[in-house]
Amino acid sequence: MRTLKEYAAYLREERLKDYAAYYIKTIMGMDIPLIKLILEKGLIKDLSEEASLARTMDSQEKFFLSLIDGTAIEKAKESLKQWEEDKIPGIRKNEILPTDLVLIYAAQKKAICHFLPDYTTDVREAIDISQEVKDFFTRGENDAMQLLFKIQKETEQELKSVNNFLDSVLENIPNMVFVKDAQDLRFVRFNKAGEKLLGHSKNEMIGKNDYDFFPKEQADFFTEKDNDVLSQNGIVDVPEEPIDTKNGQRWLHTKKIPILSPAGRAIYLLGISEDITEIRQAKLDLEQKTKELERSNSELEQFAYVASHDLQEPLRTISSYVQLLASRYKDKLDKDANEFIDFAVDGSARMRTLINSLLEYSRVNRIKPFEWVETKDVLKDIQLDMKDQIKETNATIKYNGLPKIYADVVLITQLFQNLIGNAIKFRGDKKPEIKVTGKRRNGEYLFSVEDNGIGLKDEYAEKIFVIFQRLHSRDKYPGTGIGLSICKKIVERHGGKIWVESEPGKGSKFYFTIKAN
């Protein structure tokens, strides 16, 4: 499965301009106070669309590089250090509000997740990458919020600091925000988003605690987390918690943060809750569908294996008797009978080939431990196995510097053999010239098998990987139409993708990726 690092590489290398444009559109539509301040102070000289896009592409490329090389958190901390030391050009540290941080992180997170459906159709992979994105920004938000309170404590008086901070946050942030006193855990602040979510007015909430509104089990849980915050004087993150509202049960992702006095004593508790009900349900639905698909695929593969295996014996019997009939009676019957016998012999032979191919297809996903495989050795073995075919067609196979990969050696051999075999089969009138390449690219290996054969039209580039699909008659190019579908399944077994670039009469170039260990 691919990770956030590989997704970051994809955004940087293939979608950077699109990403930057979408990020600008998102952030400009969120009414962020810091952005307004920067524009009002004239800190950005060139506000043209072209210049804005170039600046954003440059900054976001650096961000993606930090995700790729694992330095993102450290660089984020360096930026926070500049903020703490009041070294941000043109902006004083106490001019940056909590809403700025929350909304900027939200815009960046939204932009990153926006392109995820273009990157992968694998549900499990998408969920894992989304979780990595969420975890990264959660950590960044936590660090930023901790620094925020430190700055607030250093630059303003205790209660004034708290009130100014809360006033700026409460009515602007789109999530539910509440403040409780540290002594009795009673609500002292509550925002409009919270009123809308719970169905209780601000006046109802102020001065009361969780036991006045929620079932005892939920109130106990909320109180336990509150006490963790106050006892640790640190942030507590609650990824999922159910809560009963006037509109039914909802699920929240909540961060709880202590507000400290100059002496370091917790005097208030701040909570920020995001409604994740729909996201959580969608995730559960996707996981359930994934399990159902995996179970269905497993059952189908088992059926195909058993069916094709069990058909071998009766087919062998039929084939033997048909061949016996042909050898004994072919010259003793009339022309029609001889033709019928030929059809029966040919049909049984093709059926045996088809069943063997189906059996081969069903075996691809049978679990076998991976091992380190030298792909150059695989190519040498294939040349030995196919030496008669290579000699007969005067084919040449060139390769150099192929990487060592972690894979199922039997399947990888079959993959290369199928692609090289197709290159020889669909050679047309030319002497086959086949070139195999492979290199490390980010978190995967990229291979190609190029030939100078008959090629194919773009409209068939997807169809050829579908099982039993054929573009040519059996008379001209024999086979079952299952070879490339086996290649696709082998590549997917190794966490990769396969595709083709081709033109009629100009050969084909098959690409496939293998996930790096």
Side-chain angles (χ1 to χ4, degrees):
M1 300 288 285
R2 292 173 293 183
T3 64
L4 176 58
K5 287 185 178 181
E6 292 155 305
Y7 180 43
Y10 163 79
L11 290 175
R12 173 179 172 263
E13 295 170 5
E14 301 184 30
R15 302 301 298 273
L16 183 59
K17 187 174 182 179
D18 295 338
Y19 169 86
Y22 184 83
Y23 178 61
I24 292 172
K25 180 181 177 182
T26 301
I27 209 165
M28 295 306 294
M30 296 184 74
D31 195 27
I32 302 174
L34 180 60
I35 301 299
K36 289 183 178 179
L37 183 64
I38 291 172
L39 296 177
E40 288 171 2
K41 288 191 172 187
L43 299 178
I44 300 177
K45 302 304 180 184
D46 189 348
L47 295 175
S48 67
E49 182 176 341
E50 182 178 351
S52 298
L53 184 62
R55 279 194 303 270
T56 305
M57 287 176 67
D58 180 65
S59 65
Q60 295 305 299
E61 182 178 33
K62 292 175 182 176
F63 171 65
F64 291 139
L65 283 171
S66 71
L67 286 177
I68 294 167
D69 63 22
T71 62
I73 293 296
E74 286 73 15
K75 291 188 182 301
K77 288 182 177 179
E78 290 174 6
S79 298
L80 292 177
K81 185 73 171 176
Q82 282 190 312
W83 176 25
E84 181 181 11
E85 295 174 355
D86 213 6
K87 292 181 179 179
I88 299 178
I91 301 290
R92 297 300 305 273
K93 65 180 180 179
N94 58 1
E95 291 180 311
I96 299 175
L97 304 176
T99 47
D100 298 324
L101 303 177
V102 173
L103 293 175
I104 289 172
Y105 276 135
Q108 195 167 29
K109 182 163 53 174
K110 181 179 179 182
I112 290 175
C113 292
H114 176 76
F115 294 90
L116 192 54
D118 296 341
Y119 177 66
T120 180
T121 57
D122 186 313
V123 173
R124 189 182 299 277
E125 188 174 77
I127 290 173
D128 289 346
I129 293 174
S130 297
Q131 187 61 48
E132 281 194 78
V133 172
K134 179 181 177 182
D135 291 344
F136 172 80
F137 282 102
T138 294
R139 184 171 176 182
E141 288 170 1
N142 290 346
D143 290 343
M145 294 300 280
Q146 286 178 320
L147 179 58
L148 174 69
F149 289 121
K150 183 179 179 181
I151 291 172
Q152 290 285 342
K153 184 175 65 175
E154 292 172 348
T155 58
E156 298 181 12
Q157 296 178 352
E158 177 190 336
L159 295 176
K160 183 180 178 181
S161 170
V162 173
N163 287 333
N164 288 345
F165 162 64
L166 294 174
D167 288 342
S168 68
V169 172
L170 288 179
E171 302 309 322
N172 289 289
I173 196 168
N175 298 326
M176 179 174 76
V177 178
F178 56 88
V179 178
K180 298 176 181 179
D181 68 76
Q183 185 174 354
D184 300 319
L185 296 178
R186 296 183 181 277
F187 293 100
V188 297
R189 288 283 199 283
F190 206 73
N191 73 341
K192 290 180 181 179
E195 291 180 302
K196 183 178 179 180
L197 175 64
L198 299 185
H200 296 289
S201 70
K202 185 181 303 184
N203 292 335
E204 289 179 275
M205 301 291 292
I206 300 301
K208 298 180 181 178
N209 63 27
D210 291 326
Y211 290 95
D212 294 315
F213 299 98
F214 310 114
K216 184 179 184 302
E217 182 180 354
Q218 289 183 9
D220 286 343
F221 178 80
F222 299 153
T223 302
E224 178 188 352
K225 296 303 178 184
D226 291 346
N227 287 328
D228 288 344
V229 174
L230 299 175
S231 63
Q232 299 169 15
N233 270 359
I235 296 172
V236 169
D237 190 297
V238 187
E240 287 187 353
E241 57 181 3
I243 187 169
D244 286 0
T245 75
K246 284 189 175 181
N247 303 313
Q249 189 180 77
R250 309 296 292 176
W251 285 83
L252 305 180
H253 173 201
T254 300
K255 297 184 184 72
K256 295 186 174 182
I257 307 158
I259 300 177
L260 307 178
S261 69
R265 179 175 59 88
I267 53 177
Y268 292 104
L269 181 146
L270 169 69
I272 304 175
S273 296
E274 178 185 6
D275 187 350
I276 60 168
T277 307
E278 282 73 25
I279 295 174
R280 180 179 181 275
Q281 188 58 50
K283 181 179 177 181
L284 292 174
D285 291 344
L286 286 172
E287 289 175 348
Q288 181 62 31
K289 289 179 181 178
T290 299
K291 289 179 182 177
E292 291 174 358
L293 284 172
E294 288 175 348
R295 184 172 59 251
S296 176
N297 286 340
S298 177
E299 290 172 352
L300 286 172
E301 288 174 1
Q302 184 64 23
F303 170 78
Y305 177 80
V306 172
S308 56
H309 184 273
D310 290 351
L311 284 172
Q312 294 281 1
E313 187 57 36
L315 180 61
R316 190 177 295 112
T317 301
I318 293 171
S319 180
S320 297
Y321 279 102
V322 169
Q323 290 174 4
L324 185 61
L325 182 65
S327 64
R328 286 190 181 183
Y329 299 105
K330 185 172 182 180
D331 296 330
K332 300 178 182 179
L333 302 173
D334 59 23
K335 181 180 179 182
D336 287 344
N338 288 336
E339 188 174 318
F340 296 157
I341 291 173
D342 288 340
F343 286 153
V345 171
D346 180 63
S348 63
R350 284 194 291 112
M351 179 61 78
R352 173 176 290 181
T353 301
L354 191 61
I355 289 174
N356 285 335
S357 296
L358 185 60
L359 187 61
E360 191 176 353
Y361 184 81
S362 69
R363 284 173 173 160
V364 171
N365 276 350
R366 290 182 170 263
I367 301 301
K368 179 185 175 185
F370 283 10
E371 59 186 289
W372 285 105
V373 178
E374 288 283 4
T375 49
K376 65 178 184 294
D377 293 340
V378 169
L379 267 292
K380 290 178 182 177
D381 291 340
I382 289 173
Q383 285 179 300
L384 288 175
D385 293 340
M386 301 179 68
K387 61 182 180 180
D388 293 338
Q389 192 176 358
I390 293 171
K391 182 178 180 181
E392 180 184 342
T393 58
N394 290 320
T396 58
I397 302 174
K398 296 181 180 180
Y399 56 91
N400 186 38
L402 296 179
K404 186 177 183 180
I405 62 175
Y406 196 62
D408 182 326
V409 64
V410 175
L411 295 181
I412 290 298
T413 301
Q414 186 177 8
L415 170 62
F416 277 110
Q417 193 159 353
N418 284 0
L419 292 175
I420 292 171
N422 275 358
I424 294 175
K425 180 194 293 187
F426 298 104
R427 63 187 180 276
D429 299 326
K430 303 174 184 176
K431 183 181 77 170
E433 296 178 358
I434 303 163
K435 181 180 179 182
V436 181
T437 66
K439 62 180 180 180
R440 177 79 180 247
R441 186 186 71 171
N442 301 325
E444 63 186 11
Y445 295 98
L446 174 65
F447 291 91
S448 69
V449 178
E450 184 177 5
D451 64 57
N452 62 337
I454 62 175
L456 55 93
K457 296 180 180 178
D458 284 343
E459 60 193 274
Y460 300 125
E462 296 290 336
K463 181 180 178 181
I464 58 173
F465 295 105
V466 179
I467 191 169
F468 298 135
Q469 292 292 322
R470 300 176 55 88
L471 304 186
H472 308 281
S473 68
R474 290 188 181 88
D475 294 337
K476 189 170 184 180
Y477 295 104
T480 61
I482 203 172
L484 287 176
S485 60
I486 290 176
C487 290
K488 182 174 184 288
K489 201 170 186 184
I490 292 173
V491 169
E492 290 173 348
R493 169 79 174 87
H494 290 79
K497 294 182 179 179
I498 187 169
W499 67 97
V500 64
E501 293 178 359
S502 181
E503 286 185 51
K506 295 186 178 181
S508 300
K509 192 170 185 178
F510 284 84
Y511 293 92
F512 65 89
T513 59
I514 299 294
K515 184 178 178 181
N517 182 38

